Amino acid sequence: MNFKKIIGIVSVVIVTGAIIYGYILYRNIFASNTSFNDNEIAVFIPTNSDFTAVKDIVKPYVKDLEKFETTAEKKSYVTNIKAGKFVLKKGMNNNDIINSLRQPVPVDIAFNNQERLEDFAGRIGSQIEADSTSLMKSFTDEKFLAENGFTKENVLSIFIPNSYEFFWNTNADKFRDRMAKEYRKFWNADRTAKAEALNLTPLQVSALASIVHKETVKSDERPRVAGVYLNRLDKGMKLEADPTVIYAVKKNSGDWNQVIKRVLNKDLATDSPYNMYMYAGLPPGPIAMPDITAIDAVLNPEKHNYIYFCASVTNFGYHEFAVTPAQHEANRQKYVAWINSQGIKR
């Protein structure tokens, strides 16, 4: 065999090898390697995960884990793992999968109507990596409370119900600090000035707004209800708000799951700083998380002379308002008769 033939054979072998290698490389990197039917799925990689953990997480979603691992090694992903939420799309190849695992996407955090700080921590703990225990510890950290002018009783006020973007792996302190920043942004010069005009602090506004929020789900009625309570405060009267009694009963009993549709006379004797039938002024903190419409209702109350209100039996969901005790008693008797007819004893 002459030299030229040898060179030719070697060249063919090299070219063939290159083709085979290229095909294998293409198959490993650029061929589809997803195994799910949805258009896209989300995977969550915890903080400090190693590549073994990542493989366990993505295993249900890739056809060939070995090819995924090979590509990850070639792209130096195994030593550069990021934590967070990541989106994988149907039909992605290994190259696309690795690229996606390098680009965490934010999550939309939404919350409202939380009755207690513990409930709120649980709600957030189901949406980001930080768990409810670490969140509660962060929310009630004495240094944070002191530096920001809060107490354990009123710190719920800093969480303004809305929708916010966070990265999934946000820790408890970063979440709390972002919420404190949003609180300061919410209490702009306009809202602060309106609170001052009412002789209330923002925290007092939130406490009153939580009562207004609980009294009526009708946002268009909230300014009128807020006006009633502000009139009572101006006259030095007790608020005598049923939602505060319900909160006090739940808090004293430790049973937050009980449903109280009717406040009884014995409930009014519940000794608690949250019972505004027993104590004057405002409760130590919000009895629930007021939403923005309730806060703004307090800041922009309807101007009127009403001192009393009672649930309406003709316009359900709304209330009947009164100026005098006699008017209120007439409305109350209608409501008592209706609630008795419904067989509601508690």
Side-chain angles (χ1 to χ4, degrees):
M1 184 178 295
N2 61 37
F3 183 73
K4 287 185 178 181
K5 287 185 177 181
I6 293 174
I7 292 296
I9 293 172
V10 170
S11 298
V12 170
V13 170
I14 291 174
V15 171
T16 302
I19 292 173
I20 294 172
Y21 176 78
Y23 171 74
I24 293 173
L25 184 65
Y26 174 84
R27 187 180 61 181
N28 286 346
I29 298 178
F30 297 107
S32 173
N33 195 32
T34 58
S35 63
F36 50 88
N37 294 320
D38 295 333
N39 289 330
E40 61 181 39
I41 57 97
V43 296
F44 299 86
I45 298 177
T47 300
N48 297 324
S49 293
D50 59 15
F51 187 57
T52 298
V54 172
K55 287 192 293 182
D56 289 339
I57 293 168
V58 303
K59 185 177 181 179
Y61 310 113
V62 299
K63 292 178 183 176
D64 193 321
L65 190 63
E66 186 176 344
K67 292 175 182 177
F68 166 78
E69 183 174 358
T70 299
T71 305
E73 290 173 348
K74 288 183 178 297
K75 292 176 68 68
S76 301
Y77 172 74
V78 296
T79 56
N80 293 281
I81 294 168
K82 291 185 177 181
K85 174 187 176 181
F86 304 88
V87 174
L88 304 183
K89 296 183 179 181
K90 182 179 180 180
M92 273 186 166
N93 56 49
N94 287 316
N95 186 64
D96 294 333
I97 293 172
I98 298 300
N99 288 341
S100 292
L101 293 177
R102 283 176 164 155
Q103 299 174 19
V105 298
V107 294
D108 288 324
I109 303 297
F111 55 84
N112 59 7
N113 300 335
Q114 304 303 300
E115 191 169 37
R116 300 180 302 149
L117 195 62
E118 291 86 349
D119 299 328
F120 177 65
R123 168 81 172 173
I124 299 304
S126 69
Q127 299 181 74
I128 61 175
E129 184 178 18
D131 61 21
S132 60
T133 301
S134 64
L135 287 163
M136 277 298 296
K137 182 179 179 181
S138 181
F139 296 162
T140 57
D141 177 70
E142 292 184 0
K143 182 179 179 182
F144 167 78
L145 295 174
E147 289 178 348
N148 290 274
F150 298 110
T151 66
K152 291 181 180 179
E153 290 74 28
N154 63 29
V155 69
L156 187 65
S157 302
I158 75 169
F159 305 109
I160 306 298
N162 213 326
S163 179
Y164 303 91
E165 272 195 356
F166 283 90
F167 284 107
W168 176 79
N169 56 311
T170 300
N171 65 35
D173 285 354
K174 287 184 178 179
F175 174 82
R176 175 203 66 193
D177 293 344
R178 163 77 183 283
M179 288 291 93
K181 181 179 179 181
E182 294 291 342
Y183 172 82
R184 291 189 290 270
K185 185 188 299 183
F186 175 81
W187 281 102
N188 54 30
D190 180 57
R191 286 193 173 98
T192 301
K194 288 179 178 179
E196 290 176 353
L198 296 170
N199 293 316
L200 297 175
T201 67
L203 289 173
Q204 289 174 322
V205 170
S206 292
L208 183 54
S210 71
I211 299 173
V212 173
H213 181 108
K214 281 289 188 178
E215 284 285 14
T216 178
V217 297
K218 304 296 186 180
S219 59
D220 59 326
E221 189 185 49
R222 285 176 173 169
R224 178 168 290 188
V225 172
V228 171
Y229 284 129
L230 289 167
N231 287 345
R232 295 182 74 84
L233 287 174
D234 286 343
K235 293 178 179 294
M237 299 172 65
K238 293 176 182 176
L239 294 183
E240 296 187 351
D242 285 2
T244 68
V245 179
I246 294 171
Y247 184 89
V249 170
K250 289 182 176 182
K251 184 175 178 62
N252 279 17
S253 68
D255 181 5
W256 293 95
N257 295 319
Q258 61 182 304
V259 177
I260 301 175
K261 294 182 178 180
R262 185 173 189 172
V263 173
L264 307 176
N265 286 331
K266 67 176 183 178
D267 298 329
L268 302 183
T270 302
D271 191 359
S272 167
Y274 290 92
N275 180 357
M276 297 296 100
Y277 273 85
M278 183 171 288
Y279 294 96
L282 293 162
I287 60 170
M289 179 182 288
D291 67 20
I292 293 175
T293 65
I295 295 172
D296 283 343
V298 173
L299 294 175
N300 303 277
E302 183 178 308
K303 303 296 183 181
H304 54 61
N305 295 321
Y306 296 130
I307 301 296
Y308 309 95
F309 65 94
C310 180
S312 175
V313 297
T314 57
N315 190 12
F316 290 103
Y318 287 90
H319 294 78
E320 301 293 342
F321 294 81
V323 175
T324 68
Q327 292 170 342
H328 176 60
E329 182 60 21
N331 291 333
R332 192 184 74 83
Q333 288 299 333
K334 292 177 185 177
Y335 176 70
V336 170
W338 179 83
I339 202 170
N340 284 338
S341 72
Q342 301 301 306
I344 300 174
K345 299 184 182 301
R346 190 61 170 150

